[in-house]
Amino acid sequence: MNFFNLSLQLKGFPIKKAKQDFAQIQSQSEDEFIAYFQNKKRQILEYHLNNNPFYKNFVKGADLSDWNSIPITHKSDLQIPLAQRLSTGFTTKNCHLHKTSGSSGTPLIFAKDKYCHALTWANFMDRYAWYGIDVETSKQARFYGMPLSGTGHYKERLKDKLGNRHRFSVFDLSDDAFERHIHQFEKTAFDYINGYTSTIVLFAKYLEEKGIVLKTICPSLKVCIVTAEMLFEDDKVLLEKQLGVPIINEYGSAELGLIAFNNLQGEWQVNTQDLFVEILDENDNPVPNGKEGRVVITSLYNMAHPFIRYDIGDFGSILPSSSIQKPILQSLMGRTSDVVKLPSGKTAAGLTFYYVTKTIIEDDADVKEFVIDQLTLDTFKITYVSSDNLTAEKIKAIHQAVENYLEPGLTIHLNRTNKLERTSYGKLKQFTSHLT
């Protein structure tokens, strides 16, 4: 019996209809798709204007005939009780309720109507099938966080059971834990790995130390899907080498579902079936493909709760050769809220600083991982996991790289630790600005 599919149906999520509708959307010609896309944008806007008092008041005064004049929604705009944001006819009893992890700030409680949530699942199922993974039946090695106690803990355990997945701890990253992981892979026919990038990278580094390629001890393994955190190119190379399977980069959010996913050609294909993804400048104007800007997304099917021109808080760009039906994500630079501000007045994406030091500090085989905190305008702290302090030569190289790529005169504090702090969900935030 397919317990996963059955559990969705029992909860009232029309997964069968969602799969059929999703397939129909995909089968459209380019001209049919463009007409569909424009119509869905208009329909979801009109729906919330007519059925959602919160959103009607939010867009008051906008020129509704001009999409670009529709105001951008930020998470802060939604920090009011959920009941005040729901559309007419929807309640906390007849929707799918969820909340963000809060890794980028205050958590947000939100809702999806049940058809919208089923369509999200249909999307994931379709993308995973590209790589021979059946979400409903394939055995998953899951590297995700979860509540450690209470009702939430038991709910996640039940989901793991129904979803045919074994959950590995993202809170215990010790050598002993990784040894237990290896034994679990030796005795379990996992089809795929899915989870937080940083945790899987650390596991791969341990495998490298031990001279183990995971697929040699778990031949059934087909693919590894990383999500929730940035995937750097050198980390991808390490993962491919030590896991022995293709590495797929998934970009999504709790509020919106799947945003982009590596296709079979290695492109980061944007989801256009149930989302409209825009890249905007600081003045909320669309930028041409190829130029970086803020990622702003509209959920085309969520009737319970408006996510229209929702600023997800990320910074990225679309490949210039993209089409409307098949846009390709060219780059993703992380949270726009985490920018480096420098004494000269220069600003840069926070991960720029991380990139600058990453190759230098991780050339040292003893350094497992590191994070960067901006303490003041000219002072940064690099906290790294290692059994020994960095050499004087390595420290000099880091200072030189920061000066070359950012600007001279910055103060860098290096702090060695045995373990990095993660969020309550087990995610690792690579760069954090403490400027107010």
Side-chain angles (χ1 to χ4, degrees), residues 158-223:
L158 178 60
K159 288 179 184 178
D160 288 344
K161 184 71 175 177
L162 295 174
N164 194 25
R165 59 202 194 195
H166 178 91
R167 191 179 297 251
F168 293 87
S169 174
V170 297
F171 301 108
D172 184 358
L173 304 175
S174 65
D175 288 355
D176 286 345
F178 288 153
E179 278 296 324
R180 292 193 295 272
H181 293 358
I182 289 171
H183 293 319
Q184 191 68 49
F185 275 96
E186 285 176 327
K187 66 181 183 181
T188 308
F190 288 112
D191 293 292
Y192 68 115
I193 297 170
N194 190 359
Y196 298 162
T197 309
S198 64
T199 302
I200 301 172
V201 166
L202 271 184
F203 182 42
K205 287 181 178 180
Y206 185 78
L207 293 171
E208 185 177 40
E209 288 176 8
K210 296 295 181 179
I212 298 172
V213 174
L214 197 60
K215 189 169 175 63
T216 63
I217 63 171
C218 184
S220 57
L221 200 61
K222 297 184 181 75
V223 70

Side-chain angles (χ1 to χ4, degrees), residues 342 346 348 352 356-357 360 399-407:
L342 301 171
K346 177 182 176 181
T352 303
V356 167
T357 54
I360 296 171
H399 281 272
Q400 189 61 56
V402 170
E403 181 172 324
N404 290 345
Y405 287 93
L406 293 169
E407 65 186 43

Side-chain angles (χ1 to χ4, degrees), residues 19-30:
K19 284 182 178 180
Q20 293 171 344
D21 291 348
F22 189 86
Q24 193 278 325
I25 295 168
Q26 286 186 306
S27 69
Q28 296 176 113
S29 68
E30 186 172 354

Side-chain angles (χ1 to χ4, degrees), residues 133-395:
I133 299 301
D134 185 336
V135 170
E136 301 168 8
T137 60
S138 295
K139 186 69 173 179
Q140 178 188 148
R142 189 171 182 82
F143 289 80
Y144 268 78
M146 66 181 292
L148 298 178
S149 61
T151 304
H153 174 83
Y154 294 105
K155 280 185 177 179
E156 289 302 313
R157 285 301 185 197
L158 178 60
K159 288 179 184 178
D160 288 344
K161 184 71 175 177
L162 295 174
N164 194 25
R165 59 202 194 195
H166 178 91
R167 191 179 297 251
F168 293 87
S169 174
V170 297
F171 301 108
D172 184 358
L173 304 175
S174 65
D175 288 355
D176 286 345
F178 288 153
E179 278 296 324
R180 292 193 295 272
H181 293 358
I182 289 171
H183 293 319
Q184 191 68 49
F185 275 96
E186 285 176 327
K187 66 181 183 181
T188 308
F190 288 112
D191 293 292
Y192 68 115
I193 297 170
N194 190 359
Y196 298 162
T197 309
S198 64
T199 302
I200 301 172
V201 166
L202 271 184
F203 182 42
K205 287 181 178 180
Y206 185 78
L207 293 171
E208 185 177 40
E209 288 176 8
K210 296 295 181 179
I212 298 172
V213 174
L214 197 60
K215 189 169 175 63
T216 63
I217 63 171
C218 184
S220 57
L221 200 61
K222 297 184 181 75
V223 70
C224 171
I225 301 167
V226 295
T227 189
E229 299 164 339
M230 294 292 291
L231 173 65
F232 299 95
E233 187 58 35
D234 54 345
D235 287 337
K236 182 178 181 182
V237 171
L238 171 72
L239 291 173
E240 288 173 337
K241 175 187 171 189
Q242 296 308 138
L243 302 185
V245 296
I247 308 303
I248 309 307
N249 202 353
E250 175 186 291
Y251 173 36
S253 78
E255 305 99 307
L256 300 158
L258 185 65
I259 300 171
F261 196 80
N262 281 152
N263 62 25
L264 294 174
Q265 291 72 48
E267 302 165 318
W268 217 356
Q269 186 169 326
V270 175
N271 166 22
T272 55
Q273 280 72 44
D274 59 349
L275 299 180
F276 172 43
V277 178
E278 301 177 80
I279 308 295
L280 307 182
D281 64 19
E282 63 275 9
N283 297 315
D284 298 340
N285 297 314
V287 303
N289 286 351
K291 186 175 180 180
E292 291 177 344
R294 293 154 43 229
V295 180
V296 172
I297 303 179
T298 298
S299 175
L300 298 173
Y301 283 90
N302 193 347
M303 300 169 70
H305 186 288
F307 282 113
I308 298 177
R309 306 200 84 195
Y310 176 62
D311 191 330
I312 196 170
D314 289 335
F315 195 78
S317 65
I318 299 294
L319 194 69
S321 59
S322 296
S323 66
I324 293 176
Q325 192 170 18
K326 186 185 172 183
I328 303 299
L329 192 63
Q330 177 176 259
S331 66
L332 186 66
M333 291 299 293
R335 311 301 299 185
T336 54
S337 56
D338 294 331
V339 296
V340 179
K341 296 181 181 179
L342 301 171
S344 66
K346 177 182 176 181
T347 62
L351 286 173
T352 303
F353 193 104
Y354 185 82
Y355 273 116
V356 167
T357 54
K358 180 175 173 62
T359 52
I360 296 171
I361 201 168
E362 288 200 339
D363 278 343
D364 189 326
D366 192 46
V367 176
K368 306 301 182 187
E369 56 183 350
F370 70 99
V371 295
I372 297 169
D373 289 84
Q374 182 170 15
L375 305 179
T376 67
L377 203 58
D378 64 353
T379 304
F380 298 81
K381 180 177 72 172
I382 300 176
T383 304
Y384 62 97
V385 176
S386 176
S387 57
D388 292 304
N389 290 322
L390 290 171
T391 64
E393 182 182 2
K394 191 73 66 176
I395 292 171

Side-chain angles (χ1 to χ4, degrees), residues 102-158:
S103 59
S104 61
T106 307
L108 172 69
I109 299 173
F110 63 91
K112 285 184 176 182
D113 63 83
K114 292 192 173 183
Y115 176 77
C116 176
H117 188 59
L119 198 61
T120 295
W121 269 114
N123 201 328
F124 276 105
M125 291 175 179
D126 175 79
R127 297 304 192 257
Y128 282 35
W130 290 350
Y131 296 92
I133 299 301
D134 185 336
V135 170
E136 301 168 8
T137 60
S138 295
K139 186 69 173 179
Q140 178 188 148
R142 189 171 182 82
F143 289 80
Y144 268 78
M146 66 181 292
L148 298 178
S149 61
T151 304
H153 174 83
Y154 294 105
K155 280 185 177 179
E156 289 302 313
R157 285 301 185 197
L158 178 60

